[in-house]
């Protein structure tokens, strides 16, 4: 049976703007400053969700005792780094192409609304989205499907008529649980996650443009 999508719903962190790789590198540097090593496999548990991994737990007691100051410095450095980054290569053309193709476009993210609107506005992408579903709007974030269900409702389309674009295992799990077709577009910190082979995957990112994304979702 031919799949004809009506909407595309994007994740944000790591999928549109790769904040995740930058955040991991900064935390990894903090660990090394204090003689510790932050394992990527541990970090991956918290990608795309909240509360699944606490990076503070692996730091010395002295650092945790000064957590407020350490976190403020880390946050400022990280935000300055992210502000200097561009969106992922090719994603702007895909987002613009979604609307030009007559498809609906929404965002479903476990981050809060202030965070995503800040960066979408900086990159002049916010007007492209008809609807946003953020952790401010739900009781359970990914891997629970609530964010994707809400995004589809706000577009007025059925979940099964949507393509979800994700970079992480938690995020893709949420999309599949909502009944959507998922296309995984991994980044440097998510590409080694255990994605099932049944999930469509674009290891070359958005190089194939919207046509490549649609073909992957349709199993071509």
């Amino acid at each position: 049976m031919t799949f004809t999508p009506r909407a595309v719903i994007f994740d944000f962190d790591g999928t549109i703007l790769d904040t995740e790789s930058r955040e991991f590198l900064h935390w990894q540097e903090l660990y090394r400053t204090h003689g510790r090593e932050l394992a990527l496999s541990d970090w991956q548990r918290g990608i795309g969700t909240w509360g699944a991994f606490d990076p503070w737990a692996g730091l010395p007691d002295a650092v945790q005792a000064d957590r407020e100051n350490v976190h403020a410095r880390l946050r400022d450095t990280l935000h300055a780094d992210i502000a200097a980054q561009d969106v992922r290569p090719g994603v702007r053309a895909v987002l613009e192409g979604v609307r030009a193709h007559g498809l609906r476009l929404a965002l479903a993210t476990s981050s809060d609304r202030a965070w995503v609107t800040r960066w979408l506005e900086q990159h002049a992408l916010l007007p492209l989205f008809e609807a946003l579903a953020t952790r401010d709007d739900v009781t359970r974030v990914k891997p629970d499907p609530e964010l994707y269900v809400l995004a589809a409702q706000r577009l007025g389309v059925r979940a099964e008529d949507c393509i979800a674009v994700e970079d992480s295992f938690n995020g893709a799990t949420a999309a599949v649980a909502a009944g959507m077709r998922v296309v995984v577009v991994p980044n440097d910190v998510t590409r080694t996650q255990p994605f099932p082979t049944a999930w469509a995957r674009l290891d070359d990112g958005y190089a194939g443009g919207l046509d490549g994304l649609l073909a992957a979702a349709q199993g071509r």
Side-chain angles (χ1 to χ4, degrees):
M1 185 174 178
T2 302
F3 170 61
T4 304
R6 293 188 59 202
V8 183
I9 303 178
F10 269 77
D11 171 54
F12 177 71
D13 290 287
T15 303
I16 294 176
L17 180 64
D18 192 6
T19 59
E20 290 167 354
S21 294
R22 306 313 305 170
E23 187 174 13
F24 174 65
L25 290 174
H26 282 275
W27 273 99
Q28 194 175 50
E29 182 179 350
L30 178 62
Y31 265 61
R32 289 173 177 170
T33 297
H34 297 283
R36 305 287 175 91
E37 189 65 32
L38 177 58
L40 176 58
S41 57
D42 289 335
W43 183 261
Q44 287 175 334
R45 298 203 313 268
I47 296 176
T49 188
W50 283 89
F53 172 65
D54 179 12
W56 292 101
L59 290 166
D61 291 343
V63 178
Q64 297 193 48
D66 192 30
R67 178 168 171 166
E68 185 175 344
N69 291 324
V70 173
H71 184 257
R73 291 192 296 270
L74 178 67
R75 180 194 61 227
D76 291 348
T77 304
L78 174 62
H79 287 194
D81 188 4
I82 293 172
Q85 304 298 315
D86 197 359
V87 293
R88 289 187 60 176
V91 72
R92 182 183 300 276
V94 171
L95 293 171
E96 292 172 346
V98 167
R99 298 299 300 275
H101 197 75
L103 298 170
R104 314 290 297 279
L105 182 63
L107 190 84
T109 174
S110 293
S111 293
D112 61 50
R113 184 173 293 265
W115 174 260
V116 297
T117 55
R118 170 184 179 178
W119 302 116
L120 288 173
E121 286 176 343
Q122 175 175 312
H123 294 285
L125 293 174
L126 186 59
L128 293 176
F129 291 91
E130 294 181 66
L132 303 180
T134 74
R135 72 181 174 111
D136 300 319
D137 304 315
V138 296
T139 57
R140 296 174 301 277
V141 296
K142 304 170 188 178
D144 189 277
E146 187 176 0
L147 280 163
Y148 275 108
V149 171
L150 177 62
Q153 288 175 345
R154 287 182 168 175
L155 288 179
V157 299
R158 301 185 307 166
E160 55 264 39
D161 293 330
C162 299
I163 298 170
V165 186
E166 274 284 353
D167 70 298
S168 73
F169 182 80
N170 282 322
T173 298
V176 171
M180 299 183 183
R181 296 213 181 189
V182 68
V183 178
V184 178
V185 189
N187 56 53
D188 288 344
V189 297
T190 64
R191 65 181 72 256
T192 59
Q193 289 193 293
F195 299 106
T197 56
W199 295 354
R201 176 169 173 159
L202 296 175
D203 281 310
D204 59 351
Y206 302 102
L210 179 60
D211 288 344
L213 183 71
L214 295 176
Q218 293 164 340
R220 295 190 277 114

